[in-house]
Amino acid sequence: MLSVSHLTCQRGERVLFRDLSFALPAGQWLQVAGANGAGKTSLLRILAGLSEPAAGQVTWNGQGLRKDRAAFHADLLYLGHQGALKEELTPLENLALSLGMEGFPPDEAKVTEALHRFGLQGREMLPARYLSAGQRRRVLLSRLLLRPAPLWILDEPFTALDVHAVATLCQLIENHLAAGGSAILTSHQTFSLPAGLSVTL
Amino acid sequence: MSGFLTPFRQAVRRDLLLAARHKTEVITALFFFVIVVNLLPLGIGPDADLLRKIAPGALWIGALLATLLGLQRLFAPDHQDGTLEQMALSPQSFTLLIAGKIMAHWLVSGLPVVLIAPLLGVQFDLPARSLGILTLSLLLGTPILSLIGAVGAALTLGVRGSGVLLSLLILPLYIPALIFGAGAVEADLAGLGFEGHLSLLGALLLACTVFAPWVTTVALRVALE
Amino acid sequence: MSTSLINWFKFASPASFYPLAGRMVPWFAAATLLLAAAGLWVGLAVAPTDAQQGEGYRIIFVHVPASWMSMFIYCVMAFWAALGLSFNTRLSGMMTSALAPTGALFAFLSLWTGSLWGKPMWGAWWVWDARLTSQLILFFLYLGFIALQAAIDDPRRADKAGAILALVGVVNVPIIYFSVQWWNTLHQGASVSMTKAPSMAHTMLLGIRLMALAFWAYTITMALIRVRCIILERELTSEWVKKNAME
């Protein structure tokens, strides 16, 4: 369970949000809503332990995020709005290398299967620079299939996706929740997921 | 033990693969080293005695500048495309991943300099014995340049005018390595022992290996905030 | 134990430090003027003319304290940097950046006066003496610190990055100093050493000490003034600034 208490986020002199508290139990998902520049990405980065809040604290299963980084990171899958793709590598290489750096033995068959699931047949060996924005996003999302993690934090996961990919992703998130996982996401698109929690900044 | 070093190996492998896709960048840094060192005689004159005297310093300064060239791109591309963020969130040790990146940087920018240095030393009319000491001093010294440089690259990551700033931060910190490295050859040419210089260089390398990757990760976490 | 800790952290908050610093500034400014006047009087009027160096030596009353201060301030910066990184106090970062310009000024002053002194002593404006060279490198370290802080927009990141740099620098300063000395003995560059005559007149030492104290008070004055500016700049939007500091 992720719990957030009295969180304040400040960027420069501007306070983005103040005194934010909520808890996300296992099997639930949370949508972070708010206008552009309201601090959605800043909140997600704090929840992922990348930035430090100006005040307040975040705990995962009762522990501060920086107490045991390795344990928290093993439970966390964070996909930012940057692609986290190397242009000069193929999707296959990209995923295999990042899995390797996260300490999972890269299994080529599994990676290929994940890419297929997101409709990237025939693109496995193409350098990522030749991929469209939507295809890049799908490569990034394939990571959800490759590494088990109870907590997903997804920044604008639906951006640039077509209807099929949106449906695939929703299906994935539903399965994840059914298996007792939890997810936090931001989005400006419409998508269909079972009712979840929401926070508006 | 091998399990402990897995993230390190993975990061080295990744960065070498990336470097292999950018062969021109690697060759550019090496070519830069060769041309800077070759410009010196043109500026100073072809007097063999004088050239022999300045050779160690000239090659070392060339190596410093060539290292700086690659450092600007040590973390910046990974920062831009978000892969650095993913590394920082890896369940594996971020410090070991970063150590792997530094190692790869040395393999790509330091090692070629070490290998070509004897050839340039010959141009400066260095005797064979001095060539050996020079190469050895660069072999011990160039990893120090990559290690200290990584700290600077992390501190200036994503900052306005980071290239010039990086040089301003890092070059003063390179002075001990320069003094002990170039000094080893000069001491030998002057008939004094070179072992003292090299062992100090070795001690510096050891200290940097232990502390620099750790300080770099601290600085990177600050930069990622 | 615990109460003293709480008190310290109370003053570590910019809101309570701002007025305190304001009250301290005039005292330290007055001390600077008095000590500098006394130091200059002893140095220029009371101390005897040096047998070998004539009147030119009197530059040491600025040179030596400036060199001391430039090194000392870097250590103080590193101290605040360590404090800031370990306790995450905002004031520490502000103190570090408030001290840097004064440190750089003293390093520059030390180089300048050293060179002025060098001309009559060695016949050259610049000699690659180990101390002068180390001082020059220290000056570069200050410039690097100031440039790094100036280049980073987010003040929190600027503080942390600056703190890391200050700590890396302070570890390196002795290594650099040692290596430069090593280099100097290898090359036998400057045969004239800067070491003063062994029997320094009592009044000379007094003059140097008075000037050192004056520089010390000056450093504190400037640091406090600068910290107040930095606090205002950063906390412009906060309630207490609007209420108390803008009257």
Side-chain angles (χ1 to χ4, degrees):
Chain A
M1 173 157 116
L2 184 83
S3 50
V4 168
S5 57
H6 308 292
L7 212 57
T8 299
C9 171
Q10 196 172 358
R11 279 270 159 261
E13 280 153 27
R14 221 165 73 83
V15 175
L16 291 175
F17 51 82
R18 201 186 286 278
D19 212 18
L20 183 73
S21 302
F22 61 83
L24 181 66
Q28 293 272 3
W29 72 282
L30 171 86
Q31 177 165 19
V32 180
N36 290 333
K40 299 190 292 291
T41 297
S42 299
L43 173 60
L44 294 195
R45 291 176 65 85
I46 290 173
L47 296 182
L50 281 168
S51 341
E52 228 171 317
Q57 62 167 346
V58 184
T59 58
W60 172 247
N61 295 335
Q63 270 220 326
L65 300 188
R66 293 184 182 205
K67 271 266 158 54
D68 185 357
R69 260 195 237 263
F72 175 60
H73 289 168
D75 286 349
L76 168 75
L77 217 165
Y78 170 85
L79 302 182
H81 58 181
Q82 285 158 314
L85 280 186
K86 293 306 260 186
E87 303 250 293
E88 47 281 79
L89 303 180
T90 68
L92 203 62
E93 286 168 331
N94 262 304
L95 292 177
L97 284 171
S98 47
L99 273 180
M101 287 197 296
E102 282 161 12
F104 294 88
D107 176 351
E108 200 168 305
K110 240 182 106 181
V111 175
T112 315
E113 194 194 308
L115 287 169
H116 287 188
R117 180 87 184 271
F118 271 97
L120 288 165
Q121 291 90 338
R123 305 280 189 281
E124 303 95 327
M125 305 298 266
L126 200 65
R129 81 170 74 89
Y130 298 117
L131 299 179
S132 73
Q135 286 170 326
R136 285 175 199 212
R137 171 109 337 229
R138 282 187 268 165
V139 177
L140 179 68
L141 291 170
S142 308
R143 302 174 76 157
L144 296 175
L145 288 159
L146 293 171
R147 206 195 109 185
L151 177 63
W152 289 359
I153 298 184
L154 313 174
D155 196 354
E156 296 288 347
F158 297 104
T159 305
L161 291 187
D162 60 22
V163 188
H164 283 297
V166 170
T168 313
L169 180 55
C170 287
Q171 188 59 53
L172 272 184
I173 295 176
E174 258 178 67
N175 296 347
H176 175 64
L177 298 177
S182 43
I184 300 174
L185 53 95
T186 60
S187 179
H188 288 294
Q189 261 92 341
T190 47
F191 53 89
S192 57
L193 276 179
L197 308 167
S198 101
V199 168
T200 307
L201 297 179
Chain B
M1 191 62 196
S2 74
F4 171 71
L5 283 177
T6 317
F8 175 78
R9 275 206 319 262
Q10 291 285 347
V12 174
R13 215 166 65 92
R14 167 184 180 272
D15 275 29
L16 288 184
L17 182 64
L18 283 169
R21 301 275 155 96
H22 281 288
K23 286 188 202 71
T24 44
E25 258 172 51
V26 180
I27 295 163
T28 314
L30 188 61
F31 185 64
F32 176 81
F33 172 63
V34 172
I35 204 159
V36 163
V37 173
N38 269 295
L39 278 182
L40 274 157
L42 295 175
I44 288 167
D47 177 8
D49 282 335
L50 182 62
L51 287 183
R52 206 175 305 122
K53 232 175 150 181
I54 63 158
L59 269 106
W60 257 88
I61 289 175
L64 293 190
L65 297 178
T67 313
L68 266 182
L69 210 62
L71 276 176
Q72 288 164 30
R73 296 187 49 79
L74 180 54
F75 300 122
D78 286 346
H79 181 47
Q80 262 157 22
D81 61 27
T83 40
L84 192 64
E85 211 168 75
Q86 291 295 334
M87 278 183 224
L89 292 176
S90 163
Q92 302 283 318
S93 155
F94 189 33
T95 310
L96 278 177
L97 289 173
I98 293 307
K101 279 186 71 69
I102 300 172
M103 179 72 182
H105 175 263
W106 178 73
L107 286 174
V108 167
S109 77
L111 191 58
V113 162
V114 176
L115 295 179
I116 208 162
L119 196 65
L120 297 177
V122 169
Q123 285 188 299
F124 282 73
D125 197 28
L126 277 182
R129 183 182 152 85
S130 299
L131 283 180
I133 299 169
L134 177 70
T135 313
L136 197 60
S137 81
L138 282 170
L139 188 66
L140 283 171
T142 43
I144 300 179
L145 304 183
S146 294
L147 285 161
I148 298 180
V151 177
L155 284 173
T156 55
L157 186 60
V159 163
R160 265 178 282 124
S162 57
V164 186
L165 189 57
L166 176 64
S167 335
L168 186 59
L169 298 190
I170 288 309
L171 286 175
L173 301 181
Y174 278 173
I175 289 167
L178 171 67
I179 287 175
F180 297 135
V185 188
E186 283 161 19
D188 186 61
L189 282 173
L192 306 161
F194 64 90
E195 294 87 353
H197 283 83
L198 287 190
S199 38
L200 283 169
L201 204 58
L204 209 56
L205 174 59
L206 200 67
C208 287
T209 312
V210 174
F211 292 111
W214 175 66
V215 178
T216 308
T217 33
V218 175
L220 282 175
R221 287 207 196 274
V222 170
L224 282 172
E225 270 196 13
Chain C
M1 175 68 200
S2 64
T3 49
S4 74
L5 258 180
I6 289 165
N7 273 332
W8 278 110
F9 279 104
K10 176 174 176 289
F11 284 114
S13 118
S16 44
F17 188 73
Y18 182 85
L20 178 72
R23 263 177 278 133
M24 292 196 300
V25 165
W27 293 100
F28 281 105
T32 309
L33 287 177
L34 285 177
L35 287 164
L40 285 176
W41 179 67
V42 171
L44 299 182
V46 177
T49 308
D50 189 270
Q52 296 150 11
Q53 308 185 17
E55 301 293 344
Y57 91 94
R58 289 186 196 275
I59 196 119
I60 64 166
F61 292 111
V62 179
H63 176 76
V64 175
S67 314
W68 284 349
M69 284 313 287
S70 63
M71 284 181 258
F72 179 67
I73 290 175
Y74 204 89
C75 297
V76 176
M77 278 169 58
F79 165 77
W80 283 112
L83 209 65
L85 281 183
S86 34
F87 294 107
N88 212 358
T89 44
R90 278 178 299 163
L91 192 62
S92 314
M94 299 179 185
M95 282 305 279
T96 320
S97 21
L99 281 166
T102 313
L105 176 76
F106 280 129
F108 179 74
L109 205 59
S110 149
L111 285 171
W112 193 15
T113 51
S115 145
L116 280 180
W117 191 22
K119 185 61 182 170
M121 292 301 113
W122 301 323
W125 293 112
W126 184 262
V127 174
W128 288 96
D129 165 78
R131 288 190 210 189
L132 263 179
T133 312
S134 308
Q135 196 66 35
L136 180 67
I137 296 163
L138 183 64
F139 181 55
F140 289 154
L141 289 180
Y142 274 118
L143 290 188
F145 179 89
I146 295 170
L148 178 67
Q149 287 223 314
I152 302 177
D153 293 321
D154 178 30
R156 272 211 303 173
R157 188 186 162 194
D159 279 350
K160 284 188 186 169
I164 296 170
L165 183 65
L167 286 174
V168 169
V170 88
V171 171
N172 268 279
V173 163
I175 302 174
I176 292 174
Y177 186 74
F178 169 71
S179 69
V180 170
Q181 249 183 347
W182 176 282
W183 163 82
N184 198 241
T185 49
L186 174 70
H187 290 267
Q188 292 290 318
S191 52
V192 192
S193 118
M194 272 236 222
T195 330
K196 264 76 61 191
S199 59
M200 194 190 268
H202 198 69
T203 40
M204 286 190 201
L205 248 165
L206 179 69
I208 290 181
R209 283 192 183 140
L210 279 172
M211 284 305 284
L213 285 175
F215 283 2
W216 205 314
Y218 169 80
T219 308
I220 297 174
T221 315
M222 291 313 289
L224 290 176
I225 293 175
R226 251 184 237 115
V227 148
R228 276 166 64 89
C229 292
I230 296 172
I231 291 176
L232 274 193
E233 232 173 64
R234 296 217 189 147
E235 312 252 318
L236 212 51
T237 49
S238 66
E239 293 301 315
W240 71 267
V241 172
K242 282 180 198 150
K243 236 183 274 167
N244 304 319
M246 302 298 260
E247 79 280 49

